[in-house]
Amino acid sequence: VKRFLVALFGFLTLRRRRKPPEPAPTEPEHRGAENAVIVLLLLAGLCGAAFVFFYATSSISNQTQWLGLSLGVALGLVATALIVLSRTLLNEEESAEDYPSHEHPAEQEEIEQLVEQTGSRFTRKGLLKAAGGAAAVGVGAALVAPAASLGPVAGTGSLYDTPWKRGKRLVDVRGRPLAADAIETGTFYTAFPEGASRDEIASPLVLVRLDPRELRLPAARRAWAPGGILAFSKICTHAGCAVALYRKPTFAPIDPRPALVCPCHYSTFDPARGGDVIFGPAGRPLPQLPLEIDADGNLRAAGNFSGPVGPSWWGVRMRGPGNPSS
Amino acid sequence: MRRLRLPIVLLLGALAIAGIAHGQPPSGISRPSNETGVSQLELGAELYAGNCASCHGVAGRGILSNATHQGVGGIRGRGPSLRGVGAQAADLYLRTGFMPLSNPGERPYRRRVLFSDREIRALVAYVASLAPGPGIPHVDPAAGSVSQGFQLFTEHCAGCHQSVAEGGYVTDARVPPIKQSTPTQIAEAVRTGPYLMPEFSKRQISDAELNSIVAYVQASKHPEDRGGWGIGHIGPVPEGMVAWAIAGIALVGLCVLIGERVKA
């Protein structure tokens, strides 16, 4: 890296010492530059439109890469157009002359003529403006389009469509049913709904077992943790990362209490208090899933989550859970 | 100038004393005077009484109550019971230098081991003799598969320890790197769950799977840096910062080029 930086620095300084090629101020060349600017701006507008297209069609593969490429190329083209514009078409000549006194209106007129002549390298101002407008519209649309993803502000009902309902069996990573007796304290487990897609945001669960005497669940959730086994959505309510950290005290009187922690921004949830946030940027508790133990001793869901699963935005946060857990 | 001489001398003296004090071990180990003459179990019991009992109580019963109990050396401590933890936990805590703590409220992190090898063996035997508990686990990384180990490490360990075992943070505590740990220590930690770490039973991670995990951690100690520079192996954040630094320089260079005055 050091060598690379030295090389880059050397390149820049050498580049400065060399005399830049002087543009010959002939008419046809300006014409060519003007055409180049128009083409560049139109292409930039096109790339902006392409970004909106890629954004709207989620079915294409490598969507993220296409989005980045189209927006990057669009901005690069605008930049190139501006560079060409400033280098070739804007008049940078400086001419110094004594300002004539008011007594010589003829001379003043002459200067005004001179000023008017400068900056008249643009021959097709209208077309240039149109191209600029196209670029602005295209790139502007590309910048505004992502606002469409700010979410369903009006209805959050679809967020309760989860694979979990009463009687759904919990299985481990290998698809084996989880027996309640196999769940030990001092550790954590990942679980999924039996026979449902694991890619769905509401599928993965994190399971912990606490001493039932330590539980401080809300009154309505008294029966949700049979034998002290608690199940929460594994998706952090802040930015949607997997809540992959569990800390458990070795010596409870001194050590910090048990907590589920998200590795992305350290949102920390208290399982004993129904997933309440005790630290970090998460704005609402980790959704809890009510559990029950069936006749075979396996864990099953006893309903749906206590709140919407996944990352938050204003539409989710402002609404209460209001979940029909049946 | 003359007036300043005394304070300067005093300051230098204080600094020298502070330096000497800092150079001392954080806490002394109380040893029996005739260490070589006693049997292993006796030595273990004596070392326990002198260095551990102030927090872990008489015969490893732990000091759980809030009542101020003044132990050996006037240390007022509270600590968990050691009955049933077995040789597994004792060997881990002593060989990593987690224990003894110089202050009962301190967090157990890896530090210089203050006991000799014979003393550690004696203490481990003593703790194991208190009540039946798990012995020191046997691991065989050669029998494990690195790729399976990577998968299991990602699933169970990487959340806290990072994917190349560099360690990190959990709320309220530091997660240690595993680079200095021996295969046996890794296995002990997985089964014991020291401090805030969860413990993993054989039902969760079988012995064969543990072999693979250890094989992966051993492999991760010398990762292949295809880019030439690992940047601490702590993931995308430092990599992104380096990328930003290079991109920033390139952008500044580009601005210089753009802003260069054209000689008319």
Side-chain angles (χ1 to χ4, degrees):
Chain A
V1 172
K2 208 176 182 183
R3 235 181 263 167
F4 172 76
L5 295 182
V6 169
L8 188 73
F9 185 72
F11 169 74
L12 290 178
T13 43
L14 285 179
R15 174 72 182 70
R16 290 196 66 133
R17 265 179 217 152
R18 254 188 286 134
K19 288 242 164 181
E22 290 180 20
T26 51
E27 269 302 311
E29 195 185 317
H30 291 148
R31 186 91 185 197
E34 202 173 61
N35 287 340
V37 169
I38 289 165
V39 169
L40 286 169
L41 286 175
L42 288 175
L43 282 176
L46 212 61
C47 282
F51 177 90
V52 177
F53 170 75
F54 290 137
Y55 198 85
T57 47
S58 54
S59 56
I60 54 168
S61 57
N62 301 330
Q63 190 195 19
T64 313
Q65 283 73 16
W66 285 113
L67 287 174
L69 196 71
S70 52
L71 190 63
V73 170
L75 294 174
L77 286 170
V78 170
T80 316
L82 291 176
I83 292 170
V84 173
L85 197 70
S86 65
R87 287 256 160 154
T88 56
L89 296 179
L90 293 184
N91 204 332
E92 289 184 40
E93 283 172 41
E94 281 178 38
S95 42
E97 238 175 283
D98 289 337
Y99 203 76
S101 52
H102 289 292
E103 287 97 69
H104 303 284
E107 272 182 50
Q108 209 168 348
E109 248 171 56
E110 206 176 300
I111 286 173
E112 269 166 19
Q113 261 182 353
L114 199 70
V115 169
E116 234 167 71
Q117 275 167 12
T118 59
S120 63
R121 287 180 184 179
F122 299 103
T123 50
R124 291 176 292 176
K125 268 189 183 166
L127 195 56
L128 206 61
K129 272 181 189 167
V137 168
V139 176
L143 296 180
V144 172
S149 291
L150 284 177
V153 178
T156 54
S158 64
L159 295 168
Y160 290 100
D161 292 340
T162 76
W164 297 102
K165 57 177 189 285
R166 179 180 284 276
K168 192 73 160 173
R169 211 148 61 146
L170 275 68
V171 295
D172 68 5
V173 178
R174 285 164 200 80
R176 299 172 301 200
L178 276 163
D181 289 345
I183 307 297
E184 292 160 68
T185 57
T187 186
F188 69 115
Y189 301 80
T190 302
F192 297 95
E194 189 174 38
S197 164
R198 292 179 183 184
D199 296 336
E200 237 180 278
I201 195 165
S203 279
L205 295 181
V206 55
L207 253 66
V208 294
R209 184 175 206 145
L210 297 177
D211 186 336
R213 286 168 299 177
E214 289 172 20
L215 297 186
R216 302 284 182 273
L217 293 175
R221 297 192 206 168
R222 282 284 147 74
W224 284 25
I229 302 173
L230 297 142
F232 297 95
S233 162
K234 202 174 179 170
I235 307 301
C236 182
T237 54
H238 169 232
C241 295
V243 178
L245 283 70
Y246 180 58
R247 70 165 201 223
K248 70 101 190 61
T250 287
F251 186 49
I254 290 178
D255 298 346
R257 60 185 154 160
L260 292 159
V261 184
C262 175
C264 286
H265 309 98
Y266 294 105
S267 289
T268 305
F269 305 94
D270 189 345
R273 286 176 174 74
D276 273 355
V277 183
I278 49 178
F279 180 81
R284 61 194 175 89
L286 215 50
Q288 189 183 353
L289 188 77
L291 292 178
E292 59 187 19
I293 299 169
D294 66 12
D296 301 328
N298 291 324
L299 288 169
R300 287 177 188 271
N304 205 347
F305 284 106
S306 60
V309 171
S312 300
W313 62 87
W314 59 59
V316 177
R317 258 177 84 167
M318 295 306 160
R319 268 151 200 277
N323 176 27
S325 70
S326 52
Chain B
M1 198 59 220
R2 213 190 159 83
R3 215 183 295 162
L4 276 175
R5 200 168 289 167
L6 183 67
I8 285 173
V9 167
L10 282 177
L11 182 69
L12 285 178
L15 281 176
I17 291 165
I20 291 163
H22 194 75
Q24 292 289 311
S27 63
I29 292 294
S30 347
R31 292 187 162 89
S33 50
N34 57 337
E35 199 173 299
T36 46
V38 294
S39 74
Q40 196 188 45
L41 210 56
E42 268 179 312
L43 175 64
E46 285 189 44
L47 286 170
Y48 181 86
N51 301 290
C52 319
S54 46
C55 297
H56 291 294
V58 175
R61 287 202 178 81
I63 295 172
L64 310 169
S65 74
N66 246 333
T68 44
H69 164 99
Q70 193 154 335
V72 184
I75 296 172
R76 291 165 197 277
R78 295 166 80 196
S81 163
L82 296 185
R83 299 178 80 81
V85 300
Q88 178 180 277
D91 189 62
L92 170 70
Y93 275 92
L94 290 167
R95 290 201 188 274
T96 49
F98 285 0
M99 294 286 151
L101 296 173
S102 49
N103 160 6
E106 223 176 306
R107 283 154 187 208
Y109 290 130
R110 182 176 282 273
R111 25 181 147 226
R112 195 157 59 86
V113 178
L114 299 172
F115 291 109
S116 72
D117 188 57
R118 178 164 184 260
E119 288 170 339
I120 288 178
R121 273 185 283 125
L123 268 173
V124 169
Y126 175 76
V127 171
S129 75
L130 293 172
I136 295 170
H138 296 283
V139 274
D140 184 12
S145 125
V146 174
S147 71
Q148 191 205 11
F150 168 65
Q151 226 167 345
L152 290 163
F153 191 87
T154 312
E155 185 185 332
H156 296 291
C157 325
C160 297
H161 289 285
Q162 315 296 349
S163 55
V164 269
E166 280 290 349
Y169 291 91
V170 67
T171 321
D172 280 335
R174 210 175 73 207
V175 178
I178 326 177
K179 304 268 162 178
Q180 293 163 286
S181 303
T182 64
T184 309
Q185 286 170 3
I186 296 166
E188 286 167 344
V190 167
R191 297 288 184 228
T192 308
Y195 193 39
L196 297 183
M197 175 173 159
E199 53 183 281
F200 299 88
S201 67
K202 292 189 186 190
R203 262 203 281 207
Q204 260 179 301
I205 297 175
S206 71
D207 281 340
E209 288 174 330
L210 188 53
N211 282 339
S212 296
I213 289 176
V214 174
Y216 170 72
V217 175
Q218 296 296 96
S220 77
K221 287 179 182 174
H222 306 286
E224 202 178 322
D225 290 328
R226 292 196 184 266
W229 183 24
I231 326 173
H233 303 119
I234 50 170
V237 170
E239 285 163 22
M241 283 174 75
V242 170
W244 270 109
I246 293 173
I249 292 166
L251 282 175
V252 168
L254 199 68
C255 292
V256 170
L257 289 183
I258 294 170
E260 208 171 64
R261 237 192 150 75
V262 181
K263 300 274 184 314

